Every structure is written in C-alpha cells, then in structure tokens.
C-alpha cells in the first residue's frame, strides 16, 4: 500500500533464481524417487519443543511424525518408535511453530523471486490481494510445472471505481452489472476472496457483496471511502486492510467527515483519518470493536507497509531484491514529496495506538505486510517478521503476534482442521526455530528448517534458492529528468 505509485519498467534477472529453484524442487521431489516407500513417506522430527500457539504452552522433547503431508503422531521422544524407512531430523534445542502466513501480499510478476524468499522466511502460506489474470496464469503454470511455492490463495483482480489508471491488477467499474460480472470473472479464475478498493462507489460495493455471497467468497480489502465501517461490518465484509476507516468509525466526527472531507484520494483519506483520530469516542469504539468480534471481521494492520513508506534509504536486507527493483525504489524515495513522508510519519505514530485498542478490546487481527515490488523496501518474507515485531511493539504479546500469522489465518480461512497449530491430523507446514519465539518475537527469524506440505527443507537449501544482489544507495541513483519514463514524471496517487 502506497500513497504513490510509479510505472514499473524494470526487467527481472531470473536465470539465477530459476537455477536455484531446481535445487529446491529437487529437494522436495527427492523422496518420490524412492518408489518402494512412496506409499509410506515418513518424516520424523525428534527432540523438538512444540510451541502451542493456542495456549503458549511449550512441550519439550517431542517427536513429530509426518506421514505424507500430514502430522500423523506426536509423542514424547523416548516413547515414540521410528520405522527404519523414516527420514529423521534431529531438532534438539529447537522450537517448532506452525508455518507462517502473510495475509496481504502482491506477487505481481515477482513470483520467481518471491516464492523462495517467502519459504526461506518460514512463510508457507500467502493471501494474494489483487493481480492481473496473466500473472495468476504465470504463477499457476509454474506451480503446476513443479515450482515450490507457499500455499497460495488469490483475489483475482481488485475491484475499484473512479477514474481508470494503468494499474494492471484493477478493474475500474462503472455499473452494478459490471461489478457483478467482475465478481463472476474472479470466481471463475479461482479466487478465494474478492478484493475491493477505496473508490468503489457504495451501490457497486453493495452489488459486489451480494454477488460474492452467491459464490461463497468473502469480500475483503480497502473499506470504500463511501462506505462506513459499521455498515461494511454488518454486511459481512471479512477483512479490513490497513485498518482503513477505523479512526473515522471510532470518532465523534464521523458524520461530519462523511459530509465534508475530501476523500477523493488517499492523501485526503489519510488526512481525514488523522483528523478523526483526535476525536476518539471510546463508547463508539467499544460498539464498533464488539461488532468486529461478533461478525468475525479481521483487521489487517499492515504496519510494516506504512513504516517502509517513511524510510528514506534502501533497506540493507534488499540484498535479496533484484537490482532493477532496488533502483526503482530509490527513484520512488527520491521522488516522494517531503510532505507525504511527514504525513506517513503521523500515520506511523497513530497506527500502533489503534492496534493496541483493538487488541485490548479482544479483536483478533491478521498479519499482513502488503509486500509488493511496487512499494519501497517491501521484501517478501522478511517483512512478515517485521510485522510481527511491530505488532508486539503495539501491545500484542509475542504469542498473540504469532497467532496473527498462524492460528488466526486458519480461523479466517475456516481451515482450523488443516492449519494453524502443530497438532495431529493437520497439514505438516512447520517452521523449526533455533530460539523461543515466545520469549522474543525476533526469534521467529532464527529459522533452521521449514516443512512445507510434509517436505523438509533445511535452511541451507532454502537460502541457496535465494539470490543476492548489491544494495543500492538512493544517492547513487542518477536523476534523468529528460527520461519520460523516470519515476519523477510518473508519480500518481495509488495504493495496494
Ligand atoms: Zn495491498
């Protein structure tokens, strides 16, 4: 999510990533080479400490038996028999958590870079939040051809109104019939959810909500600026991205803002939210938070997206990001007006206060980053750990933060029988950590191995699949004012 956007015209350097992808693919398929044991593939993780992300309980010296892609047994290591054909992984001193989910990413054309980065960071599932159909075809084709990828749920194209720009992932809708047709097209494309955007007019939003119900698809995204949070919640809107509208909805000025504020672009919208925040109405908030809980609506704070928008240098961890992308980020940073950076600083000071209020009120949240290479410093996978850290800084306990990326996504997806905890019967998506994440949330980065759908990938293998590049410095980017494609000439209001 960004207040600005530039036309992207960088080329990807894919050869290296492709080559290393073979390492990953090879690793994951290696078991299938052994035909004898194909019917009883077994991975055993021994001597692990299991982190119960429901209760925060740690159970030491456990053996997790994984048959095919599911956890088939968990028991104390000294009492669990191991068949001789099982592959055994010693996890002595290590902590096992469920695979992490990033509930707000944009893969665009970056999937060959994004998938290995996500997996290397323990992200075994992503909710994609708006892409062109040709990108969806690329991901699906590559995954079907054997590319190793996190579990992927996607929205199809983002449904928006207002004047069309050249964003390839958006449909700019004018009529209710178009809105219904757009829902149908996304559903046909295999969408798991329908993403709406800020400028979708209220009557079209109502049509989208109604049509999506017919396909049993949740509607998520930006709260359209014409729609009040209270109304969207009652209608069954499923997740509120970037906490949009929550400051306005908890303000005594809500009516006035809806009557008078210019919310025709995101700068105006953000300004209205900031204004609203100074007139916080605790009674209104209590009612709103209660309805979020009762209706099962999930706020997705994406704190890390806002934080990165205020950065004025390329993150050193951008070594994982192709040089052309880093250069485009440097151009965005250079072209961002200081007043916008100031505004984002204010948003960054307010957002944690809303997260804290939601958490104090017992409203569960989802971890999402808004990772996209159109947004500066939004490195796939890496940013999810930043988000967890920011949630803790906003008042969540490390356990609650961990839940936003494990248990809560499983609940949102209504897939608690498969996902979200380390328990018998669930899909074997696991992360092995060297340090206890409940002691310090930063320890989610101490990844030793990842299990995806029952397949073990050691950190070394995961890292080999991630290419590195020199880190670009903003000051090193030469401004080319005569270049009509230069970022400085292409700044337009936009968001993800
Ligand atoms: Zn987004």
């Amino acid at each position: 999510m960004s207040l600005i956007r530039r036309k992207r015209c960088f080329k990807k350097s894919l050869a290296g990533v492709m080559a290393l992808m073979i390492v990953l693919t090879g690793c994951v398929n290696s078991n299938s080479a052994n035909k004898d044991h194909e019917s009883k593939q077994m991975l055993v993780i021994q001597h692990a400490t299991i982190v119960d992300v429901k209760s925060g309980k740690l159970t030491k010296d456990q053996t997790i038996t994984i048959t095919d892609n599911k956890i088939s047994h968990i028991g104390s290591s000294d009492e669990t028999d191991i068949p001789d054909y099982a592959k055994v992984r010693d996890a002595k001193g290590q902590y096992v958590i469920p695979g992490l989910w990033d509930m707000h990413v944009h893969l665009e054309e970056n999937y060959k870079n994004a998938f290995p980065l996500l997996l290397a960071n323990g992200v075994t599932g992503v909710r994609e939040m708006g892409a062109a159909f040709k990108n969806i075809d690329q991901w699906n084709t590559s995954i079907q051809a054997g590319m190793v990828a996190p579990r992927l749920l996607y929205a199809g194209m983002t449904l928006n109104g207002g004047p069309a720009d050249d964003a390839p992932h958006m449909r700019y809708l004018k009529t209710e019939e178009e809105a219904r047709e757009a829902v149908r097209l996304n559903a046909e494309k295999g969408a798991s959810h329908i993403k709406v955007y800020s400028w979708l007019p209220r009557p079209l939003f109502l049509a989208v909500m109604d049509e999506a119900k017919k396909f049993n698809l949740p509607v998520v995204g930006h709260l359209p600026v014409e729609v009040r949070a209270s109304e969207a919640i009652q209608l069954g809107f499923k997740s509120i991205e970037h906490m949009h509208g929550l400051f306005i909805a908890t303000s005594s000025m809500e009516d006035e803002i809806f009557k008078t504020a210019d919310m025709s672009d995101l700068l105006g919208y953000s300004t209205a939210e900031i204004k609203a925040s100074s007139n916080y109405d605790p009674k209104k908030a209590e009612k709103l938070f209660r309805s979020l809980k009762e209706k099962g609506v999930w706020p997705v704070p994406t704190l890390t997206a806002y934080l990165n928008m205020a950065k004025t240098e390329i993150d050193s961890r951008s070594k994982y990001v192709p040089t052309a992308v880093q250069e485009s980020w440097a151009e965005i940073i250079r072209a961002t007006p200081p007043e916008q950076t100031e505004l984002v600083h204010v948003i960054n000071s307010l957002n944690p206060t809303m997260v804290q209020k939601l958490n104090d009120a017992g409203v569960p949240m989802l971890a999402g980053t808004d990772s996209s290479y159109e947004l500066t410093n939004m490195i796939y996978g890496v940013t999810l750990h930043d988000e967890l850290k920011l949630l803790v800084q906003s008042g969540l306990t490390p356990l609650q933060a961990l839940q936003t990326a494990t248990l809560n996504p499983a609940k949102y997806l209504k897939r608690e029988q498969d996902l979200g905890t380390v328990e018998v019967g669930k899909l074997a998506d696991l992360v092995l950590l060297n340090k206890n994440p409940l002691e310090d949330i930063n320890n989610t980065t101490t990844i030793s191995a990842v299990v995806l759908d029952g397949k073990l990938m050691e950190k070394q293998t995961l890292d080999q699949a991630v290419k590195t590049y020199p880190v670009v410095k903003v000051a090193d980017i030469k401004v080319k004012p005569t270049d009509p494609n230069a970022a400085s000439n292409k700044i337009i209001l936009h968001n993800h």
Side-chain angles (χ1 to χ4, degrees):
M1 197 224 33
S2 168
L3 298 178
I4 60 165
R5 175 179 174 271
R6 65 176 288 273
K7 195 177 175 71
R8 207 156 37 104
C9 53
F10 52 80
K11 290 197 189 90
K12 307 288 185 309
S13 168
L14 293 175
V17 175
M18 291 271 282
L20 287 158
M21 195 69 62
I22 293 162
V23 175
L24 254 182
T25 312
C27 158
V28 164
N29 291 337
S30 62
N31 282 347
S32 61
N34 190 340
K35 291 274 180 215
D36 288 349
H37 295 146
E38 207 165 35
S39 59
K40 43 184 174 179
Q41 270 181 38
M42 190 176 279
L43 167 67
V44 172
I45 298 169
Q46 266 191 317
H47 307 303
T49 298
I50 296 177
V51 180
D52 179 346
V53 296
K54 270 186 191 158
S55 66
K57 190 179 151 213
L58 299 173
T59 312
K60 285 185 182 167
D61 202 22
Q62 296 292 292
T63 290
I64 304 167
T65 306
I66 295 160
T67 307
D68 296 326
N69 66 341
K70 283 191 174 166
I71 301 173
S72 52
H73 184 267
I74 296 176
S76 148
S77 289
D78 53 7
E79 291 170 1
T80 306
D81 293 331
I82 299 169
D84 54 5
Y85 59 80
K87 178 185 166 74
V88 180
R89 167 58 154 83
D90 187 4
K92 198 170 170 30
Q94 297 185 329
Y95 297 80
V96 178
I97 60 169
L100 302 169
W101 279 74
D102 186 337
M103 295 300 280
H104 192 136
V105 301
H106 296 269
L107 290 173
E108 299 146 0
E109 286 148 9
N110 317 312
Y111 60 105
K112 289 177 185 170
N113 178 264
F115 290 162
L117 259 176
L118 288 161
L119 291 171
N121 284 284
V123 180
T124 57
V126 294
R127 186 177 65 145
E128 215 281 343
M129 292 297 277
F133 279 6
K134 73 168 186 188
N135 291 146
I136 295 172
D137 291 339
Q138 289 170 334
W139 317 329
N140 284 340
T141 304
S142 300
I143 292 168
Q144 277 157 18
M147 183 183 282
V148 182
R151 296 183 194 278
L152 170 59
L153 301 170
Y154 53 83
M157 287 182 77
T158 300
L159 310 189
N160 199 4
D165 74 8
D166 60 353
H169 64 291
M170 293 240 189
R171 278 193 207 284
Y172 298 91
L173 307 167
K174 295 265 181 277
T175 66
E176 286 178 34
E177 193 33 60
E178 279 178 17
R180 290 179 187 277
E181 176 66 7
V183 172
R184 288 196 287 269
L185 289 170
N186 280 346
E188 276 168 27
K189 200 71 189 166
S192 301
H193 46 279
I194 299 296
K195 162 102 179 272
V196 297
Y197 200 73
S198 302
W199 325 121
L200 189 67
R202 185 173 169 277
L204 273 57
F205 173 72
L206 298 177
V208 166
M209 292 298 297
D210 182 59
E211 193 67 24
K213 214 175 271 172
K214 297 177 191 168
F215 294 92
N216 201 22
L217 291 174
V219 180
V220 302
H222 287 211
L223 188 66
V225 298
E226 287 184 10
V227 179
R228 293 184 185 222
S230 52
E231 183 182 25
I233 292 165
Q234 290 311 315
L235 287 168
F237 197 58
K238 194 72 184 166
S239 74
I240 300 179
E241 307 307 305
H242 323 303
M243 302 191 294
H244 272 187
L246 295 188
F247 284 108
I248 293 170
T250 54
S251 165
S252 56
M253 296 175 71
E254 185 181 19
D255 290 344
E256 190 193 324
I257 285 170
F258 268 91
K259 270 185 216 141
T260 60
D262 175 10
M263 300 194 282
S264 60
D265 62 37
L266 282 163
L267 287 173
Y269 191 65
S270 300
T271 306
E273 289 254 56
I274 291 166
K275 196 174 161 194
S277 73
S278 60
N279 291 276
Y280 183 75
D281 180 340
K283 280 220 172 82
K284 247 183 119 171
E286 197 194 322
K287 199 176 156 201
L288 186 88
F289 296 160
R290 200 168 50 236
S291 67
L292 285 169
K293 281 191 286 183
E294 283 169 4
K295 287 283 181 178
V297 184
W298 301 85
V300 189
T302 66
L303 298 169
T304 187
Y306 289 100
L307 204 74
N308 279 313
M309 280 161 63
K311 282 187 189 161
T312 54
E313 195 45 89
I314 303 288
D315 191 308
S316 65
R317 298 169 303 175
S318 297
K319 67 183 178 189
Y320 303 121
V321 176
T323 304
V325 177
Q326 290 190 52
E327 285 173 355
S328 74
W329 288 351
E331 288 174 14
I332 292 172
I333 289 172
R334 198 186 265 283
T336 300
E339 56 271 28
Q340 180 178 307
T341 309
E342 278 307 303
L343 186 88
V344 175
H345 278 305
V346 178
I347 295 170
N348 278 326
S349 68
L350 292 174
N351 275 341
T353 66
M354 181 55 75
V355 170
Q356 175 129 38
K357 284 173 179 129
L358 288 163
N359 194 48
D360 288 349
V363 179
M365 286 167 267
L366 297 173
T369 60
D370 216 355
S371 290
S372 153
Y373 282 166
E374 291 197 354
L375 309 179
T376 52
N377 290 318
M378 294 302 293
I379 310 154
Y380 294 102
V382 169
T383 43
L384 182 71
H385 299 273
D386 293 348
E387 184 70 15
L388 298 182
K389 187 171 155 183
L390 289 166
L391 289 170
V392 169
Q393 285 172 5
S394 305
L396 274 71
T397 64
L399 176 63
Q400 288 172 326
L402 208 50
Q403 287 169 345
T404 67
T406 55
L407 188 61
N408 296 358
K411 286 180 179 172
Y412 159 91
L413 295 167
K414 299 194 171 74
R415 288 190 65 186
E416 280 181 270
Q417 75 281 11
D418 284 338
L419 300 166
T421 58
V422 184
E423 284 179 292
V424 171
K426 298 214 176 183
L427 291 168
D429 289 357
L430 307 169
V431 185
L432 276 64
L433 301 173
N434 288 319
K435 292 183 179 173
N436 181 359
L438 301 183
E439 217 159 75
D440 180 350
I441 197 65
N442 290 306
N443 290 341
T444 56
T445 61
T446 64
I447 293 170
S448 170
V450 173
V451 178
L452 172 68
D453 206 34
K455 312 292 191 308
L456 177 71
M457 295 176 281
E458 293 292 344
K459 178 69 178 159
Q460 196 188 359
T461 309
L462 292 164
D463 285 348
Q464 276 171 3
V466 175
K467 207 179 172 205
T468 57
Y469 308 82
V471 175
V472 166
K473 281 192 161 43
V474 173
D476 291 346
I477 298 296
K478 291 206 171 62
V479 187
K480 291 174 276 184
T482 51
D483 178 356
N485 288 320
S488 52
N489 297 324
K490 289 285 179 188
I491 297 298
I492 51 169
L493 288 165
H494 189 69
N495 202 326
H496 275 73

